[in-house]
Amino acid sequence: MLNELYHSLDPVAFSAGPITVYWYGISYIVGAVLTGVVMYRTQRRWGLGISVDDLMTVVIGVVFGLLIGGRLFYVLFYGNGYYFEHPLEILATNHGGMSFHGGLVGGIVGGVLACRLCRLSAWTVADLAVIGAPVALALGRCANFVNGELWGKPTDLPWGVVFESGGDVARHPSQLYEALLEGVLLFIVMQALSRRKPLLPQGTFMGVFVAWYGVARILVEFVRVPDAQLGYLFGGVVTMGQLLSAPLVVAGVALIVYALRAKRPQRDYLEG
């Protein structure tokens, strides 16, 4: 069933003359908008008063940071020296190549800068952002599936998919595994936590998000084929994705512990 679905899909959403729009690009835009909607609705439920204009400023800052950070991390950690020999290819994002870990770092930097501009509490905004971010992650992974990239190892399970770039063999649709773990399930968890009374302190949601993603990514990497230019590291033990995700688990748990001990209440704007 999944195999038939995949082969019925086209990575190109539509074309108009020289302009070609891909579902991958649409997933970024729709994901950003939906994340902003979830952030706004959540902060209203929390009794905060962040304006729509300030919230959109933050979303734009996060998106730019995500795109820049995601691309740079991919070039540095997954490029295996290719981009140093072909520097102009760094700008060829239409050929694929984005790193979640770099996107996370870049998104945080872009968000913090936007929060300073609007005098918003960066900790609360970060918590709001990760409550909505799983929606964007799910859409992005579904777009990876449509593109036929980041597929998994061969499988004889009934939901295996034959990807054109993966040879004439059914493979794990690891993109959809990630969409489920990092997107759907994480969104449900974050929604449940965001409705708890009393409200969880600043940093708690960010910690849960980072730790959950790290664990989910490490698990999926066991059935996902690593990037061809890197393969398995340290004698076939781990992948680059697992190597970069392990610190996220530690950082996420540490952030949860710190947040629960500090007990800083959620707030919108900085005083003064």
Side-chain angles (χ1 to χ4, degrees), residues 108-176:
I108 290 175
V109 173
V112 168
L113 293 176
C115 285
R116 288 186 177 182
L117 177 65
C118 299
R119 295 200 54 77
L120 290 167
S121 173
W123 281 103
T124 289
V125 170
D127 280 344
L128 291 170
V130 296
I131 292 172
V135 177
L137 285 178
L139 290 175
R141 292 310 182 190
C142 288
N144 290 144
F145 176 76
V146 174
N147 283 351
E149 58 192 4
L150 307 181
W151 27 258
K153 297 177 180 179
T155 180
D156 56 2
L157 293 171
W159 56 81
V161 177
V162 179
F163 297 98
E164 285 90 344
S165 57
D168 188 22
V169 58
R171 296 180 176 276
H172 283 284
S174 53
Q175 317 95 325
L176 300 185

Side-chain angles (χ1 to χ4, degrees), residues 5-241:
L5 173 63
Y6 166 72
H7 287 283
S8 69
L9 299 173
D10 188 341
V12 177
F14 62 88
S15 297
I19 300 175
T20 301
V21 178
Y22 294 85
W23 286 114
Y24 191 77
I26 292 177
S27 73
Y28 268 89
I29 297 173
V30 175
V33 172
L34 292 180
T35 298
V37 171
V38 173
M39 290 174 68
Y40 181 73
R41 291 175 62 88
T42 302
Q43 65 92 24
R44 285 189 61 184
R45 190 171 67 248
W46 287 0
L48 304 179
I50 302 176
S51 70
V52 174
D53 288 343
D54 286 345
L55 196 59
M56 288 309 300
T57 298
V58 171
V59 170
I60 292 172
V62 170
V63 169
F64 272 100
L66 184 153
L67 294 174
I68 295 172
R71 185 59 174 172
L72 288 181
F73 262 59
Y74 184 85
V75 168
L76 293 175
F77 292 102
Y78 292 92
N80 198 28
Y82 172 82
Y83 293 98
F84 294 106
E85 298 178 1
H86 307 84
L88 292 180
E89 286 292 312
I90 295 176
L91 302 177
T93 54
N94 59 311
H95 294 166
M98 294 289 286
S99 163
F100 168 84
H101 305 86
L104 178 63
V105 173
I108 290 175
V109 173
V112 168
L113 293 176
C115 285
R116 288 186 177 182
L117 177 65
C118 299
R119 295 200 54 77
L120 290 167
S121 173
W123 281 103
T124 289
V125 170
D127 280 344
L128 291 170
V130 296
I131 292 172
V135 177
L137 285 178
L139 290 175
R141 292 310 182 190
C142 288
N144 290 144
F145 176 76
V146 174
N147 283 351
E149 58 192 4
L150 307 181
W151 27 258
K153 297 177 180 179
T155 180
D156 56 2
L157 293 171
W159 56 81
V161 177
V162 179
F163 297 98
E164 285 90 344
S165 57
D168 188 22
V169 58
R171 296 180 176 276
H172 283 284
S174 53
Q175 317 95 325
L176 300 185
Y177 298 168
E178 291 190 72
L180 177 63
L181 291 175
E182 306 163 7
V184 178
L185 293 182
L186 182 53
F187 180 75
I188 293 173
V189 170
M190 299 302 276
Q191 284 297 306
L193 292 176
S194 71
R195 286 171 165 77
R196 285 192 57 179
K197 299 292 184 181
L199 191 60
L200 293 172
Q202 286 185 336
T204 310
F205 298 92
M206 187 68 178
V208 171
F209 176 85
V210 171
W212 182 292
Y213 178 87
V215 172
R217 181 64 181 271
I218 289 172
L219 292 176
V220 173
E221 286 284 321
F222 284 111
V223 297
R224 173 176 160 180
V225 175
D227 292 67
Q229 69 273 22
L230 293 179
Y232 290 94
L233 308 177
F234 304 111
V237 179
V238 298
T239 66
M240 178 61 76

